Amino acid sequence: MDRRQQKTRDAIFKAFSKLIEQKRYENITVQEIIDEANIGRSTFYAHFETKDELLRALCTDIFSHVFSNELMSEKTHDFSGGNNGLEAKLTHILHHLMDSKTNIVGILSSHSGELFLRYFKDYLTEMFSKYLNEIKMNAPADFVLNHLVGSFAETVKWWIDNKMKYTPEETARYYIEVSCVNRITD
Amino acid sequence: MDRRQQKTRDAIFKAFSKLIEQKRYENITVQEIIDEANIGRSTFYAHFETKDELLRALCTDIFSHVFSNELMSEKTHDFSGGNNGLEAKLTHILHHLMDSKTNIVGILSSHSGELFLRYFKDYLTEMFSKYLNEIKMNAPADFVLNHLVGSFAETVKWWIDNKMKYTPEETARYYIEVSCVNRITD
DNA sequence: AATTTTAACGAACTAAGTGTTTGATAACAT
DNA sequence: ATGTTATCAAACACTTAGTTCGTTAAAATT
Protein backbone atom coordinates (compact mmCIF):
# COMPACT_ATOMS: atom_id res chain seq x y z
CA MET A 1 0.00 0.00 0.00
CA ASP A 2 1.19 3.45 -0.90
CA ARG A 3 2.68 5.27 2.05
CA ARG A 4 0.50 8.28 1.27
CA GLN A 5 -2.63 6.15 1.37
CA GLN A 6 -1.65 4.67 4.72
CA LYS A 7 -1.00 8.07 6.22
CA THR A 8 -4.30 9.41 5.03
CA ARG A 9 -6.18 6.38 6.27
CA ASP A 10 -4.57 6.65 9.69
CA ALA A 11 -5.35 10.35 9.87
CA ILE A 12 -9.00 9.68 9.08
CA PHE A 13 -9.27 6.91 11.66
CA LYS A 14 -7.62 9.03 14.29
CA ALA A 15 -9.80 12.04 13.57
CA PHE A 16 -12.93 9.92 13.51
CA SER A 17 -12.08 8.23 16.80
CA LYS A 18 -11.45 11.57 18.43
CA LEU A 19 -14.72 12.99 17.20
CA ILE A 20 -16.72 9.97 18.23
CA GLU A 21 -15.56 10.50 21.79
CA GLN A 22 -16.96 14.00 21.74
CA LYS A 23 -20.29 13.61 20.04
CA ARG A 24 -22.65 10.99 18.73
CA TYR A 25 -22.02 9.41 15.39
CA GLU A 26 -25.14 10.83 13.76
CA ASN A 27 -24.06 14.38 14.41
CA ILE A 28 -20.57 14.02 13.07
CA THR A 29 -20.23 15.52 9.62
CA VAL A 30 -17.80 14.53 6.93
CA GLN A 31 -16.59 18.10 6.98
CA GLU A 32 -15.56 17.77 10.62
CA ILE A 33 -13.66 14.59 9.92
CA ILE A 34 -11.90 16.28 7.03
CA ASP A 35 -10.97 19.29 9.10
CA GLU A 36 -9.78 17.22 12.03
CA ALA A 37 -7.77 14.90 9.80
CA ASN A 38 -6.52 17.87 7.84
CA ILE A 39 -7.04 16.36 4.44
CA GLY A 40 -8.79 17.39 1.26
CA ARG A 41 -12.44 16.73 0.72
CA SER A 42 -11.96 14.64 -2.37
CA THR A 43 -9.31 12.65 -0.57
CA PHE A 44 -11.81 11.50 2.00
CA TYR A 45 -14.20 10.31 -0.65
CA ALA A 46 -11.36 8.54 -2.42
CA HIS A 47 -11.00 6.38 0.69
CA PHE A 48 -14.54 5.93 1.93
CA GLU A 49 -17.78 6.24 0.05
CA THR A 50 -19.82 7.10 3.11
CA LYS A 51 -19.51 7.75 6.82
CA ASP A 52 -21.09 4.37 7.50
CA GLU A 53 -18.38 2.62 5.55
CA LEU A 54 -15.78 4.42 7.61
CA LEU A 55 -17.40 3.16 10.80
CA ARG A 56 -17.55 -0.33 9.36
CA ALA A 57 -13.85 -0.26 8.52
CA LEU A 58 -12.99 1.00 11.98
CA CYS A 59 -15.06 -1.74 13.60
CA THR A 60 -13.37 -4.43 11.59
CA ASP A 61 -10.01 -3.01 12.60
CA ILE A 62 -10.84 -2.93 16.28
CA PHE A 63 -12.52 -6.31 16.63
CA SER A 64 -9.80 -8.18 14.89
CA HIS A 65 -7.76 -7.24 17.94
CA VAL A 66 -10.35 -7.94 20.63
CA PHE A 67 -11.28 -11.32 19.26
CA SER A 68 -7.92 -12.87 18.86
CA ASN A 69 -7.38 -16.24 17.24
CA GLU A 70 -6.71 -17.70 20.62
CA LEU A 71 -9.98 -16.41 21.96
CA MET A 72 -11.90 -17.84 19.05
CA SER A 73 -10.22 -21.20 19.28
CA GLU A 74 -12.15 -24.31 20.19
CA LYS A 75 -13.57 -24.28 23.63
CA THR A 76 -11.91 -26.30 26.33
CA HIS A 77 -15.13 -27.82 27.54
CA ASP A 78 -15.66 -25.84 30.68
CA PHE A 79 -18.00 -22.95 31.04
CA SER A 80 -16.81 -21.35 34.23
CA GLY A 81 -13.47 -21.11 35.97
CA GLY A 82 -10.66 -22.72 34.02
CA ASN A 83 -7.97 -21.06 32.04
CA ASN A 84 -9.72 -20.79 28.76
CA GLY A 85 -13.32 -21.47 29.71
CA LEU A 86 -16.20 -19.28 28.66
CA GLU A 87 -15.98 -17.12 31.74
CA ALA A 88 -12.30 -16.50 31.14
CA LYS A 89 -12.98 -15.53 27.55
CA LEU A 90 -15.70 -13.12 28.53
CA THR A 91 -13.44 -11.61 31.15
CA HIS A 92 -10.76 -11.18 28.53
CA ILE A 93 -13.15 -9.35 26.23
CA LEU A 94 -14.24 -7.00 28.99
CA HIS A 95 -10.64 -6.26 29.93
CA HIS A 96 -9.85 -5.53 26.34
CA LEU A 97 -12.73 -3.09 26.06
CA MET A 98 -11.66 -1.36 29.25
CA ASP A 99 -8.01 -0.97 28.34
CA SER A 100 -8.13 -0.48 24.61
CA LYS A 101 -6.25 2.42 23.07
CA THR A 102 -8.91 3.33 20.56
CA ASN A 103 -11.96 4.50 22.39
CA ILE A 104 -14.14 1.45 21.92
CA VAL A 105 -16.18 2.47 24.92
CA GLY A 106 -16.96 5.81 23.35
CA ILE A 107 -18.15 4.12 20.21
CA LEU A 108 -20.14 1.46 21.98
CA SER A 109 -21.89 3.86 24.30
CA SER A 110 -22.57 6.29 21.51
CA HIS A 111 -25.68 6.30 19.49
CA SER A 112 -23.66 4.83 16.69
CA GLY A 113 -23.71 1.67 18.73
CA GLU A 114 -26.19 -0.07 16.50
CA LEU A 115 -23.87 -0.66 13.59
CA PHE A 116 -21.00 -1.28 15.95
CA LEU A 117 -22.99 -3.78 17.97
CA ARG A 118 -23.86 -5.73 14.88
CA TYR A 119 -20.20 -6.47 14.36
CA PHE A 120 -19.70 -7.20 18.04
CA LYS A 121 -22.55 -9.68 17.98
CA ASP A 122 -21.22 -11.38 14.90
CA TYR A 123 -18.01 -12.19 16.72
CA LEU A 124 -19.89 -13.18 19.86
CA THR A 125 -22.13 -15.49 17.88
CA GLU A 126 -19.14 -17.27 16.46
CA MET A 127 -17.67 -17.70 19.91
CA PHE A 128 -20.83 -18.78 21.71
CA SER A 129 -21.91 -21.22 19.02
CA LYS A 130 -19.01 -23.48 19.97
CA TYR A 131 -20.60 -24.03 23.37
CA LEU A 132 -24.07 -24.53 22.07
CA ASN A 133 -24.28 -28.27 21.60
CA GLU A 134 -23.67 -28.85 25.30
CA ILE A 135 -26.54 -26.72 26.40
CA LYS A 136 -29.67 -28.77 26.60
CA MET A 137 -32.72 -26.63 27.14
CA ASN A 138 -36.36 -26.96 26.28
CA ALA A 139 -35.88 -24.30 23.67
CA PRO A 140 -34.55 -24.31 20.09
CA ALA A 141 -30.81 -23.92 19.66
CA ASP A 142 -31.10 -20.76 17.57
CA PHE A 143 -33.23 -19.20 20.26
CA VAL A 144 -30.71 -20.04 22.96
CA LEU A 145 -27.80 -18.76 20.90
CA ASN A 146 -29.50 -15.45 20.26
CA HIS A 147 -30.34 -15.18 23.92
CA LEU A 148 -26.75 -15.77 24.98
CA VAL A 149 -25.33 -13.31 22.47
CA GLY A 150 -28.00 -10.67 22.90
CA SER A 151 -27.93 -10.69 26.66
CA PHE A 152 -24.14 -10.49 26.78
CA ALA A 153 -24.13 -7.56 24.38
CA GLU A 154 -26.77 -5.87 26.51
CA THR A 155 -24.70 -6.61 29.57
CA VAL A 156 -21.65 -4.97 28.04
CA LYS A 157 -23.63 -1.89 27.08
CA TRP A 158 -25.08 -1.65 30.56
CA TRP A 159 -21.66 -2.18 32.11
CA ILE A 160 -20.23 0.67 30.07
CA ASP A 161 -23.18 2.98 30.72
CA ASN A 162 -22.67 2.35 34.42
CA LYS A 163 -19.05 3.48 34.26
CA MET A 164 -17.80 -0.08 34.63
CA LYS A 165 -18.61 -0.08 38.30
CA TYR A 166 -17.90 -3.79 38.49
CA THR A 167 -14.62 -5.37 37.46
CA PRO A 168 -14.42 -7.48 34.31
CA GLU A 169 -14.09 -10.56 36.52
CA GLU A 170 -17.20 -9.73 38.51
CA THR A 171 -19.21 -8.83 35.47
CA ALA A 172 -18.32 -12.02 33.64
CA ARG A 173 -19.14 -14.07 36.74
CA TYR A 174 -22.52 -12.39 37.14
CA TYR A 175 -23.29 -13.09 33.53
CA ILE A 176 -22.43 -16.75 33.84
CA GLU A 177 -24.40 -16.91 37.06
CA VAL A 178 -27.58 -15.49 35.53
CA SER A 179 -27.15 -17.11 32.14
CA CYS A 180 -28.52 -20.52 31.35
CA VAL A 181 -25.07 -22.04 30.75
CA ASN A 182 -24.77 -22.02 34.51
CA ARG A 183 -27.28 -24.82 34.80
CA ILE A 184 -25.19 -27.49 33.15
CA THR A 185 -21.97 -27.23 35.04
CA ASP A 186 -23.06 -27.64 38.65
CA MET B 1 -58.22 19.70 20.74
CA ASP B 2 -59.01 21.50 17.55
CA ARG B 3 -60.41 19.17 14.93
CA ARG B 4 -57.93 20.53 12.41
CA GLN B 5 -55.04 19.74 14.69
CA GLN B 6 -56.28 16.22 15.23
CA LYS B 7 -56.66 15.62 11.52
CA THR B 8 -53.19 16.92 10.80
CA ARG B 9 -51.65 14.89 13.60
CA ASP B 10 -53.35 11.74 12.37
CA ALA B 11 -52.24 12.40 8.82
CA ILE B 12 -48.64 12.80 9.94
CA PHE B 13 -48.71 9.63 12.03
CA LYS B 14 -50.28 7.68 9.21
CA ALA B 15 -47.81 8.96 6.64
CA PHE B 16 -44.89 8.33 8.95
CA SER B 17 -46.03 4.80 9.72
CA LYS B 18 -46.42 4.05 6.04
CA LEU B 19 -42.97 5.39 5.24
CA ILE B 20 -41.31 3.53 8.06
CA GLU B 21 -42.58 0.28 6.59
CA GLN B 22 -40.86 1.08 3.35
CA LYS B 23 -37.50 2.41 4.44
CA ARG B 24 -35.36 2.91 7.46
CA TYR B 25 -35.99 5.83 9.73
CA GLU B 26 -32.69 7.56 9.02
CA ASN B 27 -33.46 7.82 5.34
CA ILE B 28 -36.92 9.27 5.74
CA THR B 29 -36.97 13.00 5.11
CA VAL B 30 -39.37 15.52 6.52
CA GLN B 31 -40.21 16.39 2.94
CA GLU B 32 -41.42 12.86 2.29
CA ILE B 33 -43.59 12.88 5.39
CA ILE B 34 -45.05 16.20 4.32
CA ASP B 35 -45.77 14.95 0.82
CA GLU B 36 -47.26 11.68 2.00
CA ALA B 37 -49.39 13.41 4.63
CA ASN B 38 -50.28 16.09 2.12
CA ILE B 39 -49.78 19.00 4.46
CA GLY B 40 -47.84 22.23 4.38
CA ARG B 41 -44.27 22.39 5.45
CA SER B 42 -44.84 24.93 8.17
CA THR B 43 -47.73 22.86 9.46
CA PHE B 44 -45.43 19.94 10.15
CA TYR B 45 -43.07 22.10 12.12
CA ALA B 46 -46.00 23.56 14.03
CA HIS B 47 -46.65 20.05 15.34
CA PHE B 48 -43.20 18.55 15.76
CA GLU B 49 -39.89 20.24 16.14
CA THR B 50 -37.89 17.34 14.72
CA LYS B 51 -38.31 13.94 13.18
CA ASP B 52 -37.06 12.38 16.40
CA GLU B 53 -39.82 14.03 18.37
CA LEU B 54 -42.33 12.60 15.93
CA LEU B 55 -40.96 9.13 16.51
CA ARG B 56 -41.05 9.70 20.24
CA ALA B 57 -44.68 10.75 20.10
CA LEU B 58 -45.59 7.74 17.99
CA CYS B 59 -43.82 5.41 20.42
CA THR B 60 -45.65 6.86 23.38
CA ASP B 61 -48.90 6.43 21.52
CA ILE B 62 -48.25 2.82 20.67
CA PHE B 63 -46.86 1.61 23.98
CA SER B 64 -49.64 3.07 26.04
CA HIS B 65 -51.77 0.47 24.26
CA VAL B 66 -49.39 -2.47 24.48
CA PHE B 67 -48.62 -1.96 28.15
CA SER B 68 -52.12 -1.67 29.52
CA ASN B 69 -52.80 -0.83 33.13
CA GLU B 70 -53.80 -4.40 33.73
CA LEU B 71 -50.51 -5.64 32.37
CA MET B 72 -48.54 -3.32 34.55
CA SER B 73 -50.51 -4.14 37.67
CA GLU B 74 -48.88 -5.87 40.60
CA LYS B 75 -47.65 -9.30 39.84
CA THR B 76 -49.65 -12.24 41.04
CA HIS B 77 -46.65 -14.00 42.46
CA ASP B 78 -46.13 -16.65 39.86
CA PHE B 79 -43.58 -16.53 37.12
CA SER B 80 -44.80 -19.18 34.74
CA GLY B 81 -48.23 -20.52 33.80
CA GLY B 82 -51.04 -18.84 35.66
CA ASN B 83 -53.50 -16.32 34.38
CA ASN B 84 -51.52 -13.23 35.01
CA GLY B 85 -48.06 -14.58 35.68
CA LEU B 86 -44.95 -13.26 33.99
CA GLU B 87 -45.16 -15.74 31.14
CA ALA B 88 -48.75 -14.73 30.45
CA LYS B 89 -47.80 -11.09 30.40
CA LEU B 90 -44.95 -11.68 28.00
CA THR B 91 -47.24 -13.70 25.76
CA HIS B 92 -49.71 -10.86 25.80
CA ILE B 93 -47.05 -8.39 24.71
CA LEU B 94 -45.93 -10.61 21.85
CA HIS B 95 -49.50 -11.07 20.69
CA HIS B 96 -50.01 -7.35 20.76
CA LEU B 97 -46.93 -6.75 18.66
CA MET B 98 -48.05 -9.36 16.16
CA ASP B 99 -51.59 -8.11 15.74
CA SER B 100 -51.18 -4.38 16.13
CA LYS B 101 -52.70 -2.11 13.53
CA THR B 102 -49.84 0.33 13.41
CA ASN B 103 -46.81 -1.37 12.06
CA ILE B 104 -44.87 -1.80 15.27
CA VAL B 105 -42.92 -4.61 13.70
CA GLY B 106 -41.74 -2.37 10.91
CA ILE B 107 -40.56 0.20 13.40
CA LEU B 108 -38.90 -2.30 15.69
CA SER B 109 -37.07 -4.11 12.92
CA SER B 110 -36.03 -0.89 11.29
CA HIS B 111 -32.83 0.89 12.04
CA SER B 112 -34.88 3.41 13.96
CA GLY B 113 -35.19 0.69 16.53
CA GLU B 114 -32.74 2.28 18.90
CA LEU B 115 -34.98 5.10 20.01
CA PHE B 116 -38.00 2.85 19.85
CA LEU B 117 -36.32 0.18 21.91
CA ARG B 118 -35.44 2.66 24.59
CA TYR B 119 -39.12 3.25 25.20
CA PHE B 120 -39.86 -0.45 24.99
CA LYS B 121 -37.23 -1.18 27.58
CA ASP B 122 -38.51 1.53 29.88
CA TYR B 123 -41.87 -0.18 30.03
CA LEU B 124 -40.26 -3.60 30.37
CA THR B 125 -38.09 -2.38 33.22
CA GLU B 126 -41.13 -1.18 35.09
CA MET B 127 -42.83 -4.52 34.59
CA PHE B 128 -39.87 -6.75 35.43
CA SER B 129 -38.83 -4.78 38.47
CA LYS B 130 -41.95 -6.00 40.27
CA TYR B 131 -40.61 -9.53 40.10
CA LEU B 132 -37.12 -8.66 41.11
CA ASN B 133 -37.17 -9.05 44.86
CA GLU B 134 -38.05 -12.72 44.55
CA ILE B 135 -35.09 -13.54 42.38
CA LYS B 136 -32.15 -14.47 44.51
CA MET B 137 -28.98 -14.74 42.50
CA ASN B 138 -25.34 -14.28 43.24
CA ALA B 139 -25.44 -11.08 41.24
CA PRO B 140 -26.55 -7.51 42.01
CA ALA B 141 -30.21 -6.72 41.51
CA ASP B 142 -29.56 -3.99 38.93
CA PHE B 143 -27.47 -6.41 36.94
CA VAL B 144 -30.22 -9.01 36.96
CA LEU B 145 -32.88 -6.49 36.02
CA ASN B 146 -30.88 -5.26 33.07
CA HIS B 147 -30.26 -8.81 32.00
CA LEU B 148 -33.94 -9.69 32.09
CA VAL B 149 -35.01 -6.58 30.21
CA GLY B 150 -32.19 -6.60 27.72
CA SER B 151 -32.47 -10.25 26.85
CA PHE B 152 -36.23 -10.02 26.41
CA ALA B 153 -35.87 -7.01 24.13
CA GLU B 154 -33.24 -8.90 22.15
CA THR B 155 -35.54 -11.88 22.00
CA VAL B 156 -38.36 -9.79 20.59
CA LYS B 157 -36.08 -8.29 17.96
CA TRP B 158 -34.83 -11.74 17.00
CA TRP B 159 -38.37 -13.09 16.92
CA ILE B 160 -39.43 -10.34 14.54
CA ASP B 161 -36.35 -10.68 12.35
CA ASN B 162 -37.14 -14.38 12.04
CA LYS B 163 -40.65 -13.68 10.76
CA MET B 164 -42.20 -14.74 14.06
CA LYS B 165 -41.61 -18.37 13.24
CA TYR B 166 -42.62 -19.37 16.76
CA THR B 167 -45.95 -18.48 18.33
CA PRO B 168 -46.12 -15.89 21.09
CA GLU B 169 -46.85 -18.71 23.55
CA GLU B 170 -43.80 -20.70 22.46
CA THR B 171 -41.54 -17.69 22.44
CA ALA B 172 -42.56 -16.59 25.91
CA ARG B 173 -42.10 -20.13 27.21
CA TYR B 174 -38.63 -20.40 25.70
CA TYR B 175 -37.71 -17.12 27.29
CA ILE B 176 -38.87 -18.20 30.71
CA GLU B 177 -37.09 -21.52 30.24
CA VAL B 178 -33.76 -19.92 29.41
CA SER B 179 -34.11 -16.97 31.74
CA CYS B 180 -32.96 -17.08 35.33
CA VAL B 181 -36.46 -16.57 36.72
CA ASN B 182 -37.00 -20.20 35.81
CA ARG B 183 -34.73 -21.32 38.58
CA ILE B 184 -36.91 -20.15 41.45
CA THR B 185 -40.22 -21.67 40.58
CA ASP B 186 -39.45 -25.35 40.17
C1' DA C 1 18.34 9.69 -12.81
C1' DA C 2 14.55 10.00 -15.75
C1' DT C 3 9.96 8.62 -16.47
C1' DT C 4 5.52 7.08 -15.37
C1' DT C 5 2.03 6.35 -12.28
C1' DT C 6 -0.98 7.73 -8.73
C1' DA C 7 -2.44 10.00 -4.45
C1' DA C 8 -3.63 14.35 -2.54
C1' DC C 9 -5.26 18.93 -3.11
C1' DG C 10 -8.55 22.78 -3.41
C1' DA C 11 -11.95 25.06 -5.31
C1' DA C 12 -16.09 25.18 -7.48
C1' DC C 13 -20.39 22.95 -8.29
C1' DT C 14 -24.92 20.30 -8.04
C1' DA C 15 -28.37 18.48 -5.42
C1' DA C 16 -31.02 17.82 -1.47
C1' DG C 17 -32.51 18.59 3.03
C1' DT C 18 -33.50 21.51 7.33
C1' DG C 19 -35.86 24.80 9.69
C1' DT C 20 -37.90 29.75 9.57
C1' DT C 21 -40.66 33.53 8.12
C1' DT C 22 -44.45 35.79 5.86
C1' DG C 23 -49.04 37.21 4.83
C1' DA C 24 -53.33 35.24 3.18
C1' DT C 25 -57.23 32.02 3.80
C1' DA C 26 -60.52 29.34 6.02
C1' DA C 27 -62.05 26.57 9.75
C1' DC C 28 -63.13 26.81 14.51
C1' DA C 29 -64.83 28.62 19.10
C1' DT C 30 -67.47 32.09 21.66
C1' DA D 1 -71.04 38.22 14.23
C1' DT D 2 -66.51 38.43 15.97
C1' DG D 3 -62.19 37.07 17.38
C1' DT D 4 -58.95 33.28 17.38
C1' DT D 5 -56.01 29.98 15.44
C1' DA D 6 -54.57 26.17 12.29
C1' DT D 7 -53.27 25.60 7.70
C1' DC D 8 -51.20 26.88 3.53
C1' DA D 9 -47.84 28.23 -0.16
C1' DA D 10 -43.88 30.40 -1.29
C1' DA D 11 -39.68 32.20 -0.51
C1' DC D 12 -35.77 32.31 2.38
C1' DA D 13 -31.03 31.35 4.60
C1' DC D 14 -28.28 27.69 5.83
C1' DT D 15 -26.03 23.12 6.10
C1' DT D 16 -24.41 18.86 4.28
C1' DA D 17 -23.34 15.32 0.87
C1' DG D 18 -21.04 13.85 -2.85
C1' DT D 19 -18.81 14.97 -7.65
C1' DT D 20 -15.69 16.96 -10.91
C1' DC D 21 -11.36 18.60 -12.65
C1' DG D 22 -7.07 20.68 -13.42
C1' DT D 23 -2.83 21.06 -10.65
C1' DT D 24 0.88 19.59 -7.68
C1' DA D 25 3.86 16.46 -5.50
C1' DA D 26 5.07 12.11 -3.83
C1' DA D 27 5.93 7.45 -4.83
C1' DA D 28 7.00 3.49 -7.77
C1' DT D 29 9.26 1.82 -11.99
C1' DT D 30 12.55 1.70 -15.50
Side-chain angles (χ1 to χ4, degrees), chain B residues 54-88:
Chain B
L54 168 57
L55 180 60
R56 191 197 54 74
L58 186 63
C59 288
T60 305
D61 235 50
I62 288 173
F63 282 128
S64 62
H65 286 99
V66 176
F67 291 83
S68 60
N69 286 337
E70 187 203 344
L71 193 82
M72 300 301 273
S73 70
E74 281 307 305
K75 67 182 188 314
T76 49
H77 280 87
D78 52 356
F79 288 98
S80 62
N83 235 346
N84 204 20
L86 180 58
E87 187 173 333

Side-chain angles (χ1 to χ4, degrees), chain B residues 55-157:
Chain B
L55 180 60
R56 191 197 54 74
L58 186 63
C59 288
T60 305
D61 235 50
I62 288 173
F63 282 128
S64 62
H65 286 99
V66 176
F67 291 83
S68 60
N69 286 337
E70 187 203 344
L71 193 82
M72 300 301 273
S73 70
E74 281 307 305
K75 67 182 188 314
T76 49
H77 280 87
D78 52 356
F79 288 98
S80 62
N83 235 346
N84 204 20
L86 180 58
E87 187 173 333
K89 288 184 179 180
L90 299 179
T91 305
H92 175 269
I93 293 170
L94 296 176
H95 263 300
H96 220 302
L97 293 176
M98 206 168 72
D99 304 335
S100 76
K101 263 283 187 277
T102 52
N103 191 4
I104 306 182
V105 170
I107 301 174
L108 254 175
S109 64
S110 77
H111 214 265
S112 63
E114 201 148 337
L115 186 50
F116 192 88
L117 273 180
R118 205 158 64 218
Y119 283 93
F120 189 44
K121 284 181 191 164
D122 283 349
Y123 281 96
L124 285 176
T125 300
E126 195 184 332
M127 195 187 71
F128 272 113
S129 61
K130 301 205 172 105
Y131 292 86
L132 201 59
N133 53 353
E134 305 196 10
I135 303 174
K136 282 279 166 288
M137 297 260 105
N138 290 328
D142 58 349
F143 180 95
V144 174
L145 182 57
N146 177 72
H147 190 276
L148 289 171
V149 170
S151 59
F152 186 68
E154 286 290 318
T155 295
V156 169
K157 242 168 54 179

Side-chain angles (χ1 to χ4, degrees), chain A residues 101-166:
Chain A
K101 264 280 186 280
T102 52
N103 190 4
I104 306 183
V105 170
I107 300 174
L108 254 175
S109 65
S110 77
H111 214 266
S112 62
E114 200 148 337
L115 186 50
F116 192 87
L117 273 180
R118 207 158 63 217
Y119 285 93
F120 189 45
K121 284 183 193 165
D122 283 349
Y123 282 95
L124 286 176
T125 300
E126 195 185 331
M127 194 187 70
F128 272 113
S129 59
K130 302 206 173 106
Y131 293 87
L132 201 61
N133 52 354
E134 305 196 11
I135 303 174
K136 282 280 167 286
M137 296 260 105
N138 291 327
D142 57 350
F143 180 96
V144 174
L145 182 58
N146 176 74
H147 190 276
L148 289 171
V149 171
S151 60
F152 186 67
E154 286 289 319
T155 295
V156 170
K157 243 167 55 179
W158 171 86
W159 180 62
I160 289 172
D161 290 343
N162 285 270
K163 320 282 178 207
M164 305 176 171
K165 65 177 176 179
Y166 303 114

Side-chain angles (χ1 to χ4, degrees), chain A residues 92-108:
Chain A
H92 175 271
I93 292 170
L94 296 176
H95 263 300
H96 219 301
L97 293 176
M98 206 166 74
D99 305 335
S100 76
K101 264 280 186 280
T102 52
N103 190 4
I104 306 183
V105 170
I107 300 174
L108 254 175

